[in-house]
Amino acid sequence: MVLLSRLPFLFDGHGHEEDSYGLVVNAWEMHSTGHYVASRFPGHPLQEYFYLLIWNQPAWIWNLLSTLFSITAVLAFYHALRRIGMNYAMEASLMLAFTPMFFISGTYTIDYAWSLAFVMLSFSSLVCRKFVWCGIMLGLAVGCRITSGVFIIPWAMLLFQRMDIKTWFMWMLKISIPAGVIGILMYVPAFMQYGTTFFDYSDQFPYPPFTKIVYKATIGVFGILGILALIVAFTRWVTQKQKEAVNPPQIFTPQRIVWMVVVVLILHVISYLRLPQKAGYMLPIVPFVLLLVLMYTPKHTLRIITMLFLLAPFIVGMNITDDLRGSGATGASIRFNVSGQEISIDAARGPVLAEQQKRRNKMEYVERVCDYIDTTRHSVTLICGWWYNQILVRQNERPNSGNTSSHWSIGKIKLKFYARCEEIYEPPMDTTNVTYTTSEPMTKAEVLDLFTRRIYYLPEQDLYNDQMFGQSCTNEIAEPFPVK
């Protein structure tokens, strides 16, 4: 079911996030330089090195790997639930498989499904008391996403033996040593290349408003129907006369599971609030939230909740309507403004369908940008921002990229991620003593115009270029890109 449900979404590029295309560019750079290059700090070395092996393959191959890791995560979650002794493991696994953020992460190049798969393999090994394997899987999860290392804390809480501290300590050594060794080895290339500066993170965007933070951590992860399902579960629990677990685990007490989940939630909320830009940062909490739902929800209510999760990716989505980086809106939508952006609640386009439309919209716009790059005769500096990696990837894919048959285009296009104004400012050309010859019927002014460098920025990138460097000059030296 996981494989078949993802297949229709694997063929629209590498995803809508700039980091997805950044991983492709990173693989090209490592292939050409012969040494490790971080796609973004602090690095995601396991995935980056794996992608190096397929650096020249089409996008669907990259995306299919994420699908395979999604399958692994669901199977490991199912196995862990069965090992714990809980009923309705199939329903909980279906909820995970169709949680919108998890569904989306299994259709594009980013690392969210990879890291969660290794975390679930670690959890499954933990409940089977295969502690060395638990540590190995956790170390590999750290190799995908360094924040996965925090799971050593809830694992320790779950295993804690009040009456036998020595045994507990030995178990934790069996987990911690392989996890630590593998995790450290994964980041040795980053340390050798960047020193201690690799252990950092940065973002060009300002800290988001409160509404956006809450949206990404809730609806952005579970979708509107998923949140509705969680509300149904919580309401059912509140209205129960007995607050005891109706589907208790057999090898751990319900209280032990609850405290483990609470710690997972606290750790990930703290991590998320440091840089709350992406809903995917909260994805690791999903299996553990579903574990609580499974424990405290009666069978008939659980089936209703499962049906809501099965529908959550496909209907009733909330998205921005921007034509370039949003998903637009169908006739079955309600529109309103939040924090200066038009938002739609669309009954006919759920989160997964909206994400696919975003990918297509961005691909179409990048195609128009690349058409301009290949055909213009002018010298151009283009401030690209979040479009930068996708433009590089698409330019590399085009069969006659660069229009090398025309001398007007050779070395004329400079693509910039972001840049300080003094780095890209071009003073007016001194034409006093200029002479020219041309085989084309052009005036001197027309020839000089071709060699006067134009500075453009893609939509919204004037704002973020200024924010990146604390300046307010991009609009003074650059113009909006002429292609819409």
Side-chain angles (χ1 to χ4, degrees), residues 453-475:
R453 180 166 292 277
R454 286 159 167 74
I455 305 173
Y456 296 123
Y457 56 83
L458 292 179
E460 301 181 71
Q461 302 317 305
D462 55 331
L463 171 66
Y464 293 110
N465 190 59
D466 283 343
Q467 287 181 347
M468 183 75 169
F469 299 105
Q471 58 191 11
S472 58
C473 51
T474 303
N475 263 313

Short mmCIF file of all heavy atoms in Angstrom, two decimals, residues 453-475:
data_model
loop_
_atom_site.label_atom_id
_atom_site.label_comp_id
_atom_site.label_asym_id
_atom_site.label_seq_id
_atom_site.Cartn_x
_atom_site.Cartn_y
_atom_site.Cartn_z
N ARG A 453 25.63 45.00 -18.20
CA ARG A 453 25.10 43.91 -17.37
C ARG A 453 23.82 44.33 -16.68
O ARG A 453 23.74 45.38 -16.04
CB ARG A 453 26.14 43.47 -16.34
CG ARG A 453 25.66 42.34 -15.44
CD ARG A 453 26.79 41.70 -14.66
NE ARG A 453 27.70 40.99 -15.53
CZ ARG A 453 27.51 39.75 -15.97
NH1 ARG A 453 26.42 39.10 -15.62
NH2 ARG A 453 28.40 39.18 -16.75
N ARG A 454 22.83 43.46 -16.80
CA ARG A 454 21.55 43.66 -16.13
C ARG A 454 21.53 42.83 -14.84
O ARG A 454 22.00 41.70 -14.83
CB ARG A 454 20.40 43.24 -17.04
CG ARG A 454 20.13 44.24 -18.16
CD ARG A 454 19.38 43.61 -19.29
NE ARG A 454 18.86 44.60 -20.23
CZ ARG A 454 19.59 45.27 -21.10
NH1 ARG A 454 20.90 45.06 -21.16
NH2 ARG A 454 19.04 46.16 -21.92
N ILE A 455 20.99 43.40 -13.79
CA ILE A 455 20.89 42.72 -12.50
C ILE A 455 19.42 42.54 -12.18
O ILE A 455 18.67 43.52 -12.08
CB ILE A 455 21.59 43.51 -11.40
CG1 ILE A 455 23.04 43.81 -11.78
CG2 ILE A 455 21.54 42.74 -10.08
CD1 ILE A 455 23.75 44.74 -10.82
N TYR A 456 19.00 41.27 -12.07
CA TYR A 456 17.61 40.95 -11.80
C TYR A 456 17.50 40.12 -10.52
O TYR A 456 18.47 39.48 -10.09
CB TYR A 456 17.01 40.13 -12.95
CG TYR A 456 16.92 40.83 -14.28
CD1 TYR A 456 17.53 40.30 -15.41
CD2 TYR A 456 16.19 42.02 -14.41
CE1 TYR A 456 17.44 40.93 -16.64
CE2 TYR A 456 16.09 42.65 -15.64
CZ TYR A 456 16.72 42.11 -16.75
OH TYR A 456 16.62 42.73 -17.97
N TYR A 457 16.31 40.12 -9.94
CA TYR A 457 16.01 39.20 -8.84
C TYR A 457 14.71 38.48 -9.16
O TYR A 457 13.79 39.03 -9.77
CB TYR A 457 15.91 39.93 -7.50
CG TYR A 457 14.91 41.06 -7.45
CD1 TYR A 457 13.55 40.82 -7.21
CD2 TYR A 457 15.32 42.38 -7.62
CE1 TYR A 457 12.64 41.85 -7.15
CE2 TYR A 457 14.41 43.43 -7.58
CZ TYR A 457 13.07 43.16 -7.35
OH TYR A 457 12.16 44.19 -7.31
N LEU A 458 14.64 37.21 -8.77
CA LEU A 458 13.44 36.42 -8.95
C LEU A 458 12.39 36.83 -7.91
O LEU A 458 12.72 37.51 -6.94
CB LEU A 458 13.77 34.93 -8.86
CG LEU A 458 14.63 34.39 -10.00
CD1 LEU A 458 14.93 32.91 -9.80
CD2 LEU A 458 13.98 34.62 -11.36
N PRO A 459 11.13 36.44 -8.09
CA PRO A 459 10.05 36.93 -7.22
C PRO A 459 10.36 36.78 -5.73
O PRO A 459 10.77 35.70 -5.27
CB PRO A 459 8.86 36.05 -7.63
CG PRO A 459 9.12 35.73 -9.07
CD PRO A 459 10.62 35.57 -9.17
N GLU A 460 10.21 37.86 -4.99
CA GLU A 460 10.37 37.96 -3.53
C GLU A 460 11.82 37.95 -3.08
O GLU A 460 12.09 38.16 -1.89
CB GLU A 460 9.61 36.83 -2.81
CG GLU A 460 8.12 36.81 -3.06
CD GLU A 460 7.44 35.71 -2.29
OE1 GLU A 460 7.33 35.82 -1.05
OE2 GLU A 460 7.02 34.72 -2.92
N GLN A 461 12.76 37.70 -3.98
CA GLN A 461 14.14 37.52 -3.54
C GLN A 461 14.84 38.83 -3.22
O GLN A 461 15.91 38.82 -2.61
CB GLN A 461 14.93 36.72 -4.58
CG GLN A 461 14.35 35.34 -4.87
CD GLN A 461 13.91 34.61 -3.62
OE1 GLN A 461 14.70 34.43 -2.69
NE2 GLN A 461 12.64 34.20 -3.57
N ASP A 462 14.28 39.97 -3.63
CA ASP A 462 14.83 41.25 -3.18
C ASP A 462 14.69 41.39 -1.67
O ASP A 462 15.63 41.81 -0.97
CB ASP A 462 14.15 42.41 -3.90
CG ASP A 462 12.62 42.39 -3.75
OD1 ASP A 462 12.05 41.29 -3.59
OD2 ASP A 462 12.01 43.48 -3.80
N LEU A 463 13.52 40.98 -1.15
CA LEU A 463 13.29 41.04 0.30
C LEU A 463 14.26 40.15 1.05
O LEU A 463 14.90 40.59 2.02
CB LEU A 463 11.84 40.62 0.58
CG LEU A 463 11.47 40.41 2.05
CD1 LEU A 463 11.55 41.71 2.81
CD2 LEU A 463 10.07 39.81 2.17
N TYR A 464 14.39 38.90 0.60
CA TYR A 464 15.23 37.95 1.34
C TYR A 464 16.72 38.20 1.11
O TYR A 464 17.53 37.88 1.98
CB TYR A 464 14.83 36.52 0.96
CG TYR A 464 13.45 36.17 1.45
CD1 TYR A 464 12.40 35.99 0.55
CD2 TYR A 464 13.18 36.08 2.80
CE1 TYR A 464 11.11 35.71 1.01
CE2 TYR A 464 11.90 35.79 3.26
CZ TYR A 464 10.88 35.61 2.37
OH TYR A 464 9.61 35.34 2.82
N ASN A 465 17.08 38.77 -0.02
CA ASN A 465 18.47 39.14 -0.23
C ASN A 465 18.89 40.23 0.75
O ASN A 465 20.00 40.20 1.31
CB ASN A 465 18.69 39.62 -1.66
CG ASN A 465 20.15 39.78 -2.00
OD1 ASN A 465 20.94 38.84 -1.92
ND2 ASN A 465 20.55 40.99 -2.38
N ASP A 466 18.01 41.18 0.98
CA ASP A 466 18.30 42.22 1.97
C ASP A 466 18.33 41.65 3.39
O ASP A 466 19.20 41.99 4.20
CB ASP A 466 17.26 43.33 1.89
CG ASP A 466 17.50 44.26 0.70
OD1 ASP A 466 18.61 44.25 0.16
OD2 ASP A 466 16.57 44.98 0.32
N GLN A 467 17.38 40.75 3.70
CA GLN A 467 17.35 40.15 5.04
C GLN A 467 18.59 39.31 5.30
O GLN A 467 19.08 39.26 6.43
CB GLN A 467 16.10 39.30 5.19
CG GLN A 467 14.82 40.11 5.33
CD GLN A 467 13.58 39.24 5.51
OE1 GLN A 467 13.63 38.03 5.29
NE2 GLN A 467 12.48 39.85 5.91
N MET A 468 19.07 38.66 4.28
CA MET A 468 20.24 37.77 4.44
C MET A 468 21.45 38.54 4.96
O MET A 468 22.19 38.04 5.80
CB MET A 468 20.56 37.11 3.09
CG MET A 468 21.69 36.11 3.13
SD MET A 468 21.15 34.57 3.90
CE MET A 468 22.54 33.50 3.51
N PHE A 469 21.64 39.76 4.47
CA PHE A 469 22.85 40.52 4.81
C PHE A 469 22.55 41.79 5.60
O PHE A 469 23.45 42.61 5.80
CB PHE A 469 23.61 40.88 3.52
CG PHE A 469 24.05 39.69 2.73
CD1 PHE A 469 23.39 39.33 1.56
CD2 PHE A 469 25.11 38.91 3.16
CE1 PHE A 469 23.79 38.22 0.83
CE2 PHE A 469 25.51 37.79 2.44
CZ PHE A 469 24.86 37.45 1.27
N GLY A 470 21.31 41.96 6.05
CA GLY A 470 20.98 43.14 6.82
C GLY A 470 21.15 44.42 6.03
O GLY A 470 21.67 45.42 6.56
N GLN A 471 20.74 44.42 4.78
CA GLN A 471 20.90 45.58 3.91
C GLN A 471 19.54 45.99 3.36
O GLN A 471 18.53 45.32 3.57
CB GLN A 471 21.85 45.24 2.75
CG GLN A 471 21.39 44.06 1.91
CD GLN A 471 22.44 43.56 0.94
OE1 GLN A 471 23.61 43.93 1.00
NE2 GLN A 471 22.03 42.70 0.02
N SER A 472 19.49 47.11 2.65
CA SER A 472 18.22 47.57 2.06
C SER A 472 18.49 48.24 0.72
O SER A 472 18.04 49.35 0.47
CB SER A 472 17.52 48.54 3.02
OG SER A 472 18.35 49.65 3.30
N CYS A 473 19.24 47.55 -0.12
CA CYS A 473 19.71 48.16 -1.36
C CYS A 473 19.41 47.33 -2.60
O CYS A 473 19.69 47.78 -3.71
CB CYS A 473 21.22 48.41 -1.28
SG CYS A 473 22.15 46.94 -0.76
N THR A 474 18.85 46.13 -2.44
CA THR A 474 18.66 45.26 -3.61
C THR A 474 17.76 45.91 -4.65
O THR A 474 18.05 45.86 -5.86
CB THR A 474 18.08 43.90 -3.18
OG1 THR A 474 18.95 43.31 -2.20
CG2 THR A 474 17.98 42.97 -4.37
N ASN A 475 16.68 46.55 -4.20
CA ASN A 475 15.77 47.19 -5.15
C ASN A 475 16.41 48.37 -5.87
O ASN A 475 15.95 48.76 -6.95
CB ASN A 475 14.50 47.66 -4.43
CG ASN A 475 13.38 46.65 -4.57
OD1 ASN A 475 13.12 46.17 -5.66
ND2 ASN A 475 12.74 46.34 -3.46
#
